[in-house]
Amino acid sequence: MKKLLLGATALTLCAGFSTAAQAEFTLNILHINDFHSRFGPITGSDSNCDPETDAAGECFGGIARLATAIESKRAELEGQNVVLVDAGDQFQGSLFYTQYRSEIISEFANKLGIDVMAVGNHEFDDGPEELAKFIDAIEFPIISGNTNITNEPLLAGKFEGTHVLEIGGEKIGFVSALAEDTDETSSPGENVEFEDTITSLRTQVNALTAAGVNKIIALTHVGYTVDLEIAANVPGIDVIVGGHSHTLLSNTDEAAAGPYPTLVNNPDGVEVPVVTAGAYAKYLGDLVVTWDDEGNVISAEGAPILIDASVEPDAEYAERLAELEAPLQDLMAEVIGTTTEPLEGSREVCRVEECTMGNLLADAILDRVADQGADIAFQNGGGIRASIDAGDITMGEILTVLPFSNTLATVDISGADVIEALENGVSDIENGAGRFAQVAGLKYAYTLANPAGQRVSDVMVRGEGDEWVPIDEEATYTIVTNNYVRGGGDGYGTFAEGDNPYDFGPPLEQVVADYIAKLGGEYTPYLDGRITIK
């Protein structure tokens, strides 16, 4: 009776002002993105963490620590409104995916208790078939509002564009969008179409609003810069939780791309909070949002939680992971050589400038087919998925760097087409696009201040006696790359249209291992100025 009397008194005191405070609704949004099957812990440079380094407290993430972090927050917030969302790209990125595909992802995602997930572009890496298997196995909704699957028999009807959850007596609407170039960056097949992001989201928001939903979260997989555009151009979205660009937002980390949350004015002049949480479960996003009774966000604050060695791994998850890891140990532990210095493979470097990992990969694939007349090697920055620390190089590490099961591929194109391909590579640097070209047998410069399509200059190729000469736009050059890029992936349509295509070479990880062996088993990373930024 005492609590009821106190409540009645409080209502009476507030009656002369406003009852809005009594109708406020607060939601704790826990979020991850771009996990990429990194079930084991990672080093500070995102490479695989060996047990000794992990025991020394120098590693991050991993599914067992992520589980602990999530359950700790849920326990801390007991009795409050909590939702766990995933902004996509669970597929691809480790030997666990190579071995188990979506089976391992659905098992752990169900166990984590994800409430809703956005489709990421890499969810299409093994075609509609594997995504369909995943959807059949998960116990939560997966959404993608601008992905038209109507004409794909394997996926039609398997996911919606939006979803509504009832939390704490309130309807929370989720809208979604996937990067429009997914047909270039993955393998969705000819029957899946990707519609305009902004137009689709406006339609989704209008539909939810018409249904009486006034709290709307956009769960996207389009990248941070596009998320900012969405916030500025789509009224009705209250919060954006994003992925795809692996962007870290933070108010304390100097390496962050922006504040957490980043606030953007929408067309109505309302500030929209945008958050994203890096990648590989190194962080757990933690945003607390409060709406008033009319559905207006009145506060949004939080911070990404660093999942470092202070987070105790969940024993049950760790035990299950060990079971799944056992068949992979022999392959992962095979030492194929050593590197005298760290090999830089981070997206922040390899998608912007020459990087040592890019040079190793490009040199290796060019060397493999040099005796077949290959002149130039292209390695897309997006195909480089990790760095490798100094010391022994294991096959497991190489497979983490190159997780896509790509094979060597060649094609003949003109010098003019080479320049066009380079322009494609630097056309979307602002968004950290994976199309950036790491090269061998070629030098080029680019000017970021110039508009896309007019950025590349000083393109040089090896001439007689290894002398560097300007590329001949009329001449024909044999390009070596991976089968994904050769087929037009990452926007390289010039390769798809080239002459004498051949995609059935050895797997890239074996090419790299053989190249290091050819060098005597020891590799020294280097930069030689083959890519210049003006």
Side-chain angles (χ1 to χ4, degrees):
M1 289 297 296
K2 189 174 182 180
K3 289 184 178 179
L4 290 174
L5 288 171
L6 285 173
T9 302
L11 286 172
T12 301
L13 289 173
C14 292
F17 298 93
S18 170
T19 59
Q22 300 303 316
E24 288 179 1
F25 174 80
T26 298
L27 180 63
N28 297 271
I29 303 172
L30 305 179
H31 60 98
I32 59 173
N33 57 275
D34 300 284
F35 182 63
H36 283 298
S37 302
R38 297 299 184 90
F39 294 101
I42 59 173
T43 67
S45 57
D46 297 337
S47 60
N48 287 338
C49 175
D50 60 64
E52 293 77 15
T53 307
D54 196 22
E58 299 174 9
C59 295
F60 305 85
I63 191 69
R65 283 196 178 97
L66 175 62
T68 296
I70 291 171
E71 287 310 308
S72 295
K73 284 301 297 185
R74 284 176 171 151
E76 175 189 328
L77 300 170
E78 186 176 1
Q80 300 182 41
N81 303 308
V82 182
V83 65
L84 174 62
V85 299
D86 182 340
D89 270 8
Q90 282 269 357
F91 283 28
Q92 203 65 264
S94 75
L95 278 180
F96 288 105
Y97 183 78
T98 302
Q99 176 74 16
Y100 299 107
R101 303 299 180 189
S102 65
E103 180 182 352
I104 184 175
I105 300 169
S106 59
E107 176 182 342
F108 280 118
N110 286 335
K111 193 172 178 61
L112 288 176
I114 292 171
D115 291 297
V116 61
M117 174 182 171
V119 177
N121 58 311
H122 286 290
E123 266 71 78
F124 282 105
D125 276 0
D126 286 292
E129 297 88 347
E130 196 65 34
L131 177 54
K133 290 179 184 177
F134 177 64
I135 294 171
D136 288 342
I138 58 178
E139 299 166 357
F140 52 86
I142 186 168
I143 58 175
S144 190
N146 68 329
T147 302
N148 187 337
I149 53 174
T150 304
N151 296 320
E152 175 46 66
L154 293 170
L155 290 174
K158 284 191 176 291
F159 62 81
E160 302 294 332
T162 64
H163 188 72
V164 177
L165 291 175
E166 185 167 319
I167 303 173
E170 295 288 332
K171 292 181 178 180
I172 310 300
F174 290 87
V175 297
S176 59
L178 174 56
E180 294 173 36
D181 64 350
T182 294
D183 57 341
E184 298 177 1
T185 63
S186 192
S187 305
E190 297 180 356
N191 298 325
V192 180
E193 298 179 355
F194 302 93
E195 299 166 352
D196 182 79
T197 298
I198 301 294
T199 301
S200 174
L201 284 170
R202 285 175 177 160
T203 300
Q204 295 171 53
V205 170
N206 290 339
L208 288 182
T209 302
V213 179
N214 67 354
K215 299 173 181 64
I216 297 177
I217 298 170
L219 186 60
T220 68
H221 195 86
V222 294
Y224 179 57
T225 58
V226 180
D227 282 333
L228 300 182
E229 294 176 14
I230 291 168
N233 289 281
V234 184
I237 291 176
D238 297 313
V239 181
I240 298 177
V241 180
H244 187 51
S245 57
H246 295 207
T247 303
L248 173 64
L249 300 179
S250 171
N251 299 317
T252 57
D253 192 323
E254 294 181 356
Y260 184 104
T262 300
L263 301 177
V264 180
N265 285 327
N266 76 2
D268 297 326
V270 176
E271 287 187 328
V272 178
V274 178
V275 293
T276 183
Y280 311 138
K282 186 176 182 178
Y283 297 88
L284 172 64
D286 181 17
L287 182 69
V288 183
V289 181
T290 299
W291 285 264
D292 65 18
D293 62 336
E294 296 180 351
N296 302 306
V297 172
I298 56 176
S299 71
E301 56 187 9
I305 300 169
L306 178 63
I307 304 179
D308 60 12
S310 67
V311 179
E312 187 71 22
D314 180 282
E316 184 179 341
Y317 281 76
E319 182 179 353
R320 176 58 177 148
L321 190 64
E323 293 176 5
L324 294 165
E325 192 175 32
L328 310 179
Q329 288 303 310
D330 290 344
L331 178 61
M332 292 177 68
E334 179 187 350
V335 176
I336 56 94
T338 61
T339 175
T340 59
E341 298 174 17
L343 278 157
E344 175 62 73
S346 71
R347 64 189 288 126
E348 291 80 8
V349 178
C350 294
R351 299 187 182 201
V352 176
E353 60 188 80
E354 178 187 1
C355 68
T356 54
M357 186 70 78
N359 284 356
L360 168 60
L361 301 181
D363 288 350
I365 62 176
L366 183 58
D367 179 81
R368 186 63 170 240
V369 291
D371 60 353
Q372 300 175 29
D375 306 289
I376 298 166
F378 273 72
Q379 169 62 46
N380 57 317
I384 302 171
R385 307 306 285 193
S387 300
I388 294 178
D389 296 330
D392 287 344
I393 303 173
T394 65
M395 182 57 79
E397 288 177 308
I398 294 295
L399 284 164
T400 299
V401 174
L402 300 168
F404 299 114
S405 302
N406 290 135
T407 58
L408 209 64
T410 57
V411 65
D412 295 336
I413 62 173
S414 70
D417 286 338
V418 171
I419 296 173
E420 183 178 336
L422 291 171
E423 288 285 7
N424 171 69
V426 298
S427 65
D428 198 21
I429 289 179
E430 297 88 340
N431 291 313
R435 62 188 62 192
F436 186 83
Q438 299 289 331
V439 297
L442 183 72
K443 290 184 176 182
Y444 72 97
Y446 77 88
T447 305
L448 185 59
N450 290 349
Q454 303 175 34
R455 292 176 170 173
V456 172
S457 62
D458 305 316
V459 182
M460 309 284 283
V461 296
R462 291 189 186 278
E464 297 293 332
D466 284 341
E467 180 182 358
W468 290 99
V469 298
I471 194 168
D472 182 349
E473 295 191 27
E474 301 299 322
T476 297
Y477 297 89
T478 297
I479 308 300
V480 58
T481 183
N482 58 68
N483 62 305
Y484 169 71
V485 168
R486 207 293 308 158
D490 267 342
Y492 284 96
T494 50
F495 294 164
E497 298 167 2
D499 296 326
N500 304 315
Y502 188 75
D503 291 353
F504 301 100
L508 293 192
E509 65 270 16
Q510 193 60 53
V511 171
V512 175
D514 291 346
Y515 180 67
I516 292 174
K518 181 179 178 180
L519 297 177
E522 182 177 278
Y523 182 77
T524 298
Y526 72 98
L527 300 174
D528 59 10
R530 61 186 70 179
I531 304 173
T532 303
I533 304 173
K534 289 189 171 182

